[in-house]
Every structure is written in C-alpha cells, then in structure tokens.
Amino acid sequence: MENYIVRIYRRDSADPNKVAGVFESVEQETENTFTSLNSLVELLATECPDQESVED
Amino acid sequence: MGVNLESRHLRRQYQQQPISGWTRRPDANRVDLPVRIYTLGRFSIQLHGHALYSRQARQRRPMEMLQALIALGGRDVGIDMLGHALWPDSDGDLARNNLEVTLHRLRRLFGVKNLFTLHDQRLSLNSSLGWVDAWSFERLVNHADRLLPLAGNPEVVRQLVRVGERLMALYQGNFLERETASTWSLTFRERLRSKLMRHILGFGRVWEQIGDWERAASYYRRGLEIDPLTEALYQRLIVCCRETGQHGDAMTTYLRCQTMLAQHFGIQPSPVTQNLYSSLKS
C-alpha cells in the first residue's frame, strides 16, 4: 500500500483545474507542491512504483 | 466497576511486576489514573505517575499495538482489523497468533489488571484506567462544537476560554509525529489536525466577536505554527493586528503570507488578502 497526504489550500471556483496544494509521500518522506489537478496527477504518476503484472 | 485508585489495596491489585527492560522513572508527577498515554507530539506513558520507557527494541511491537489500538478508536476494535493493521502481509491465522502473543506482552508491560479487555474478538483500552491525550482532545473538540454556536452567551464564552486553552495545551504536536507513519496512524493524525485547524478559526472568530483581539491573534499564530500555508489564518491575523493598531505587525503578516504562497505555489495572495493589505495603507 502507498500512503500519500494531499492538502488543498486554494481552489478556483471558476476553473476546477486550478488548485494549489501540497502532496506528501509518506514512505518517501517527500513533499511537493502542485498548482493544478494535472500537476497533482503528474506527481502521483511520478511517485508510483513500477507495477508488477498480475496474472490470474 | 468503580475504582478507588487512592486505595492502596486496590492499587496493589492493579500493579504487577513489569517485565525486565522496562523501568519506572521517578521524576514524573502523580496522576489520578494509573495509566496516562501521551501521543500528541510525542509518545510517552506514565504508569502510576512514573514514566514508563523501554530500552529494548523487542518492546517495539507491543507499543505499536497500543498505538494502533488508540488510533483505531481504542474501544471494541476488532482483532482482525488490528491484526491486519499491524501485520498486513500475514494471513489471518498468523496475524491472530501474532496479536495474541503481542497482547500478552503488552499486558505484562503495564501490569494493570483489566487495562486491556478482550470481548467477542474485540479489544478495548479501558478508559476508566487509562487516559489518552488524543481522546481527551477529541472529547473537548466535540464539547466545543456544542458551545461555539452559543457563543453569544457570556457564560458560554467563559467555558470556551477554558476549553480553548485546554485544547491548545493538549495539542503538543501531531499524533505520533515522531513515530514511523502507518496507514492507521495517518488517518487519525490527519483527523485530529484537521479538527484543530477548524477550531482555531472557530475560536478565533468568537474572540474577535467579543473584541478579545489579542487572544484571537494568539490562536491564529498558533495555527500558523502548525500550518504556515493556511491563508485564512493570515487574513484573520491581519485583521486582529489592524484592530489593535499594530499596523507594522499586520504588514509583516501580509508579507509573510505573500512570501509563503510565492515560495510554495508561485501564486499571489487572494483578492481578500490583498484587500486587507490595501485597508492597512488607507
């Protein structure tokens, strides 16, 4: 399991993509900021470790 | 069961010999309950008024179990849930066996009869024998929730002063902030932190309404110590400084807000904050 903390400090009511916040990776003990939902997704993708393929 | 803790006879019943590796430090204060557990900003335990601490790494698991039990509510926590929290990679039987062994060690560490009760596969920390700062904090927050809407009443305000001071005194830091973060601790940690921040703003508003600007300012400053990126706290602090004629402090507060937002997000203060800044110059 991966644990992250996302704190959102500002939202733009006119533009839902505009959010400012902090993204913390608990295991890595890193902290990054983001200013849009897109950049938040990018941070999450960057932190995501290589997925092992799961076969049935 | 009623417990007279001043009774030597009963107290002896609760006390058992702690296992080796744990000692009681005599420099702590006496308290009214046999066990007091501090989890906010630190992790420490007082047993019959004396600090309990470990010198051995092998006591780590029992302490983790105690921490997880507290984080999961402390009362009627399903042992399957507890086992999964502590041994997420173990199957059910192994996790349950680990749990039983660790619970046995935990009970021996404290040596307080009935401190940990197990009924119907549910574990509880007996609150009539053990006090936990985080639980006390939550109870006070709930009490404040009931009081804050009634803040027009002077008696309620007097109660809020006491509740607010107690809340601030209890919250010495985040839940188990010096311990390794786990999923179970994070959820509880963030919930408590969020409640504190919400109440700092709620209490601050009450102090502002009754004109106690200094008290309001001290709350907002405390909030900024915990989270220096919360713009609403800067806004309210600027108002407090302005109302008490401390324009220099108000300007400094604005500039700090501006700097923090620029450094972390590359953004400017919101129009509300900028308007407050403009009001200082007029």
Side-chain angles (χ1 to χ4, degrees):
Chain A
M1 180 182 287
E2 302 162 43
N3 292 303
Y4 304 101
I5 297 171
V6 177
R7 302 186 201 280
I8 294 178
Y9 289 93
R10 189 186 291 178
R11 285 179 181 274
D12 188 332
S13 55
D15 183 352
N17 189 48
K18 277 190 178 176
V19 289
V22 174
F23 174 88
E24 294 179 32
S25 170
V26 175
E27 278 77 17
Q28 304 296 323
E29 296 186 1
T30 57
E31 186 175 303
N32 291 287
T33 57
F34 58 88
T35 51
S36 69
L37 285 179
N38 291 337
S39 57
L40 172 61
V41 171
E42 281 174 21
L43 283 171
L44 189 57
T46 306
E47 290 283 338
C48 185
D50 293 339
Q51 297 289 314
E52 292 179 8
S53 60
V54 178
E55 296 178 4
D56 292 330
Chain B
M1 182 181 71
V3 178
N4 177 7
L5 295 167
E6 295 306 313
S7 158
R8 285 187 175 184
H9 173 70
L10 280 178
R11 199 179 143 198
R12 270 199 298 272
Q13 283 190 326
Y14 290 120
Q15 285 181 316
Q16 295 166 6
Q17 190 63 33
I19 63 175
S20 61
W22 286 76
T23 55
R24 293 173 186 165
R25 214 167 55 193
D27 58 340
N29 296 328
R30 275 292 310 260
V31 290
D32 58 342
L33 286 182
V35 176
R36 292 175 73 87
I37 303 169
Y38 299 88
T39 60
L40 298 174
R42 56 184 162 153
F43 180 64
S44 67
I45 297 166
Q46 288 201 344
L47 182 58
H48 295 297
H50 301 290
L52 181 69
Y53 64 102
S54 170
R55 292 187 179 128
Q56 296 183 7
R58 68 189 175 90
Q59 313 301 359
R60 185 174 59 87
R61 272 299 185 188
M63 287 299 105
E64 279 184 355
M65 174 182 275
L66 174 63
Q67 293 167 351
L69 179 62
I70 291 169
L72 294 172
R75 297 173 192 90
D76 292 328
V77 177
I79 60 170
D80 287 340
M81 181 196 290
L82 196 56
H84 181 71
L86 293 168
W87 296 278
D89 299 325
S90 301
D91 64 29
D93 288 343
L94 182 57
R96 184 167 299 201
N97 185 56
N98 287 338
L99 191 137
E100 286 174 3
V101 171
T102 307
L103 177 58
H104 176 73
R105 291 169 59 196
L106 184 61
R107 282 173 162 156
R108 287 191 64 198
L109 280 174
F110 279 88
V112 177
K113 231 179 215 176
N114 299 323
L115 179 61
F116 301 99
T117 57
L118 187 61
H119 293 300
D120 296 329
Q121 306 296 306
R122 293 180 177 278
L123 184 64
S124 297
L125 170 57
N126 188 343
S127 59
S128 66
L129 297 172
W131 174 89
V132 180
D133 59 353
W135 295 353
S136 187
F137 176 84
E138 282 211 298
R139 278 196 299 273
L140 273 174
V141 163
N142 293 336
H143 186 47
D145 278 338
R146 291 189 292 273
L147 292 177
L148 282 169
L150 309 172
N153 181 327
E155 175 52 33
V156 171
V157 170
R158 278 192 287 274
Q159 285 188 50
L160 279 171
V161 170
R162 290 193 294 271
V163 170
E165 286 176 355
R166 185 77 184 123
L167 275 176
M168 294 300 180
L170 277 171
Y171 202 91
Q172 295 289 310
N174 294 325
F175 177 73
L176 298 178
E177 68 181 15
R178 296 176 195 168
E179 308 291 313
T180 304
S182 308
T183 305
W184 44 265
S185 65
L186 281 177
T187 306
F188 193 50
R189 178 186 301 175
E190 291 305 307
R191 191 172 86 211
L192 296 179
R193 187 180 192 270
S194 176
K195 284 183 175 182
L196 178 73
M197 296 305 286
R198 179 166 57 85
H199 276 77
I200 282 176
L201 282 164
F203 273 97
R205 285 290 196 175
V206 171
W207 311 144
E208 286 186 47
Q209 283 164 13
I210 64 172
D212 194 344
W213 301 103
E214 292 293 340
R215 191 186 298 274
S218 73
Y219 272 61
Y220 299 141
R221 287 194 178 99
R222 179 70 192 278
L224 287 169
E225 286 173 11
I226 296 164
D227 191 340
L229 293 174
T230 303
E231 191 173 1
L233 292 171
Y234 289 106
Q235 293 168 359
R236 300 321 308 164
L237 184 55
I238 289 169
V239 170
C240 291
C241 294
R242 186 187 65 192
E243 293 299 318
T244 51
Q246 299 174 60
H247 283 245
D249 286 350
M251 298 284 262
T252 304
T253 302
Y254 174 81
L255 292 174
R256 187 179 166 215
C257 174
Q258 186 183 46
T259 303
M260 294 300 287
L261 293 176
Q263 278 181 352
H264 286 82
F265 305 122
I267 59 177
Q268 286 295 309
S270 69
V272 172
T273 314
Q274 291 187 31
N275 286 339
L276 283 171
Y277 179 63
S278 300
S279 75
L280 299 173
K281 294 186 287 187
S282 59

